[in-house]
Amino acid sequence: MPTSQIRSLSLQICNQQGCVKLALEHRLPSPLPPPGLKAPPPTSDPGRLQALGHSDQKDFLRSNQSLHPIFPGSEALLAEGEHLGVSTTPPPTPSMKTLKKQWLEVLSTYQYVLCFLFLGPFFSLVGFFLLFTSLWYLSVLYLVWLFLDWDTPQQGGRRNQWLKNCTVWKHLSDYFPIKLVKTVELPPDRNYVLLSHPHGIMGFGTVCNFSTEGTGCSQLFPGLRFSLAVLNCLLYVPGCREYIMSCGTCSVNRQSLDYVLSQPQLGRAVVIMVGGANEALHTVPGEHCLTLRNRKGFVRLALRHGASLVPVYSFGENDVFRVKAFAPDSWQRLFQVTIKRLLSFSPCIFWGRGLFSAKSWGLMPLARPITTVVGRPIPVPQCPQPTEEQVDHYHRLYMKALEQLFEEHKESCGLPASTHLTFI
């Protein structure tokens, strides 16, 4: 067997979580069979796997060249991938996707970008201008509805399963692609506080994984009800509030989170992007700088309700946009920080590719893989009035667990061994 093939195989076996993905998603060159062993026939149709059922897919993978019987442990790798929640079906490459599929992915991603940037301002302006037309009563009726529905974001929000399961989210996740990796089971007999890092520019990984069914989150973690916490001000912007609440979001303030975690039914999982707008200012491709050192409110939340802390990291989130970073002492950075303090969001300068061409500039994110890894839960006792010593203790435990999660999975997600997290 050639040396390069032996080196690839040993890397796959040693990396546990990553090895399954490499072995099953990146086919090794077909080696020459030893004397007396007949090589398996090549696959004639690369798209055949997608049309097979679940049981047939496993048979197909076992007979495929990428899991050649001369590779010892291929059956164990397949079983390990299924046990850990890693899909054993290789994702289609761009060359395998039809032109229609590629355009559906592009348009689905573009609608997310447009909604993220312009949905709130657009409906606010439309509602304002309607006041000066013969349709003024539409704006008045909506304001009445807004008044009557004012407390909903503070009471867990209002989700719409049809929108969460809409096919558009599957196309969005396939564009990058976005993958959700489970390292351990999260039993639904308790509550959880998931801390998702990094924030990135638009949080594609966090939103697609936990606010929609684009990656099949409810199937990977059965029995859990995920609630993505977002800025409180977004849930009072006309039009925008209905759209994002329908995806299962709630307000990130204390009243809202306490309400969700105090429900009698267990299995509640609150997802918080701890770094927020400040972390968005440090979104630089290839860097992993997290705003966490002085963020301890999530620890107090977990202690008040006895909810387990779960570290979550989205590898590749910072790579989907190119960002203009300013020096810390520049007037541009001072302007960004001032706006962040006044309006709770960061005015970042970013760009991606064009809508019709990957070689032009535009608002379309770059198609870079995003792998969201859900780590092991940290048990937290219930303390209605936690002390500062308790908060500091579990905060240190969480930072250590997050760093360990990053180190364990960084190489399998394409990062060099010299890459490390930076906490600010």
Side-chain angles (χ1 to χ4, degrees):
M1 185 183 298
T3 305
S4 60
Q5 294 168 0
I6 297 176
R7 185 179 299 113
S8 298
L9 179 59
S10 63
L11 175 63
Q12 293 163 10
I13 293 177
C14 293
N15 275 349
Q16 295 181 354
Q17 183 74 35
C19 73
V20 179
K21 296 168 63 179
L22 288 171
L24 300 179
E25 296 179 6
H26 302 281
R27 298 183 178 182
L28 298 171
S30 179
L32 294 175
L37 180 61
K38 185 179 179 180
T43 304
S44 58
D45 183 7
R48 172 186 168 199
L49 182 60
Q50 300 299 323
L52 297 176
H54 181 67
S55 60
D56 293 332
Q57 287 177 1
K58 293 189 289 186
D59 295 335
F60 178 86
L61 285 168
R62 291 188 178 99
S63 62
N64 198 270
Q65 293 181 22
S66 62
L67 291 177
H68 195 281
I70 69 170
F71 286 148
S74 60
E75 293 286 334
L77 285 174
L78 181 63
E80 181 72 8
E82 295 173 347
H83 172 70
L84 292 175
V86 179
S87 173
T88 57
T89 305
T93 61
S95 61
M96 295 170 59
K97 298 177 182 178
T98 63
L99 182 61
K100 178 182 177 180
K101 171 62 174 173
Q102 294 181 41
W103 269 108
L104 286 173
E105 292 177 6
V106 168
L107 294 177
S108 298
T109 306
Y110 205 59
Q111 70 82 25
Y112 176 93
V113 174
L114 293 180
C115 290
F116 185 93
L117 296 175
F118 305 117
L119 186 64
F122 173 77
F123 276 102
S124 298
L125 290 175
V126 169
F128 177 76
F129 284 116
L130 283 179
L131 290 172
F132 304 96
T133 67
S134 58
L135 300 176
W136 59 269
Y137 59 90
L138 294 178
S139 295
V140 173
L141 288 175
Y142 185 82
L143 291 175
V144 173
W145 160 254
L146 184 62
F147 174 78
L148 297 175
D149 196 52
W150 190 260
D151 293 331
T152 300
Q154 314 300 327
Q155 298 174 354
R158 177 180 53 248
R159 61 187 64 207
N160 184 303
Q161 286 302 128
W162 178 86
L163 183 59
K164 287 174 65 68
N165 289 281
C166 189
T167 312
V168 68
W169 307 119
K170 175 60 178 173
H171 292 314
L172 186 150
S173 67
D174 290 341
Y175 171 78
F176 292 97
I178 299 174
K179 300 178 184 178
L180 182 61
V181 177
K182 176 178 67 174
T183 57
V184 295
E185 294 289 341
L186 297 183
D189 59 353
R190 70 200 70 176
N191 293 332
Y192 300 91
V193 176
L194 282 75
L195 295 315
S196 186
H197 315 269
H199 184 283
I201 296 296
M202 297 187 184
F204 287 101
T206 302
V207 173
C208 189
N209 283 313
F210 301 111
S211 192
T212 76
E213 287 297 322
T215 56
C217 182
S218 63
Q219 299 176 7
L220 202 58
F221 298 99
L224 295 186
R225 180 183 174 92
F226 292 92
S227 298
L228 177 62
V230 300
L231 283 176
N232 188 54
C233 60
L234 295 178
L235 298 172
Y236 295 98
V237 178
C240 179
R241 71 188 300 270
E242 276 67 39
Y243 184 70
I244 61 177
M245 266 202 302
S246 296
C247 292
T249 62
C250 64
S251 176
V252 76
N253 64 21
R254 174 173 176 172
Q255 177 185 349
S256 173
L257 298 179
D258 283 341
Y259 179 90
V260 172
L261 294 177
S262 61
Q263 296 303 299
Q265 183 180 0
L266 298 177
R268 304 283 176 161
V270 172
V271 184
I272 306 174
M273 289 185 278
V274 183
N278 189 71
E279 196 168 273
L281 292 176
H282 296 87
T283 300
V284 178
E287 296 187 9
H288 304 270
C289 185
L290 304 183
T291 303
L292 184 62
R293 195 172 296 278
N294 295 318
R295 300 286 174 99
K296 301 180 181 180
F298 67 91
V299 180
R300 294 185 178 90
L301 173 70
L303 284 168
R304 286 199 304 271
H305 298 278
S308 299
L309 294 170
V310 183
V312 179
Y313 199 88
S314 293
F315 294 89
E317 183 68 55
N318 287 348
D319 301 331
V320 299
F321 282 114
R322 300 182 180 94
V323 181
K324 175 61 178 177
F326 298 105
D329 57 347
S330 63
W331 69 267
Q332 296 96 331
R333 174 54 69 91
L334 178 61
F335 173 78
Q336 290 178 317
V337 172
T338 302
I339 294 297
K340 178 183 70 67
R341 290 175 178 172
L342 293 176
L343 303 179
S344 300
F345 75 89
S346 301
C348 300
I349 300 178
F350 63 91
W351 65 95
R353 50 157 287 187
L355 178 61
F356 300 101
S357 174
K359 298 181 180 180
S360 60
W361 291 10
L363 293 176
M364 272 293 295
L366 306 176
R368 302 286 187 265
I370 300 176
T371 303
T372 302
V373 183
V374 181
R376 300 175 182 86
I378 303 172
V380 176
Q382 185 171 7
C383 302
Q385 299 293 333
T387 64
E388 287 302 317
E389 290 76 12
Q390 290 176 314
V391 172
D392 292 340
H393 171 71
Y394 285 100
H395 186 261
R396 287 192 298 269
L397 286 180
Y398 176 78
M399 291 182 63
K400 183 178 179 180
L402 176 61
E403 193 168 16
Q404 182 180 356
L405 177 72
F406 182 87
E407 295 294 330
E408 288 178 354
H409 296 274
K410 63 181 181 182
E411 294 186 55
S412 65
C413 294
L415 298 181
S418 59
T419 306
H420 302 288
L421 284 180
T422 302
F423 297 113
I424 58 174

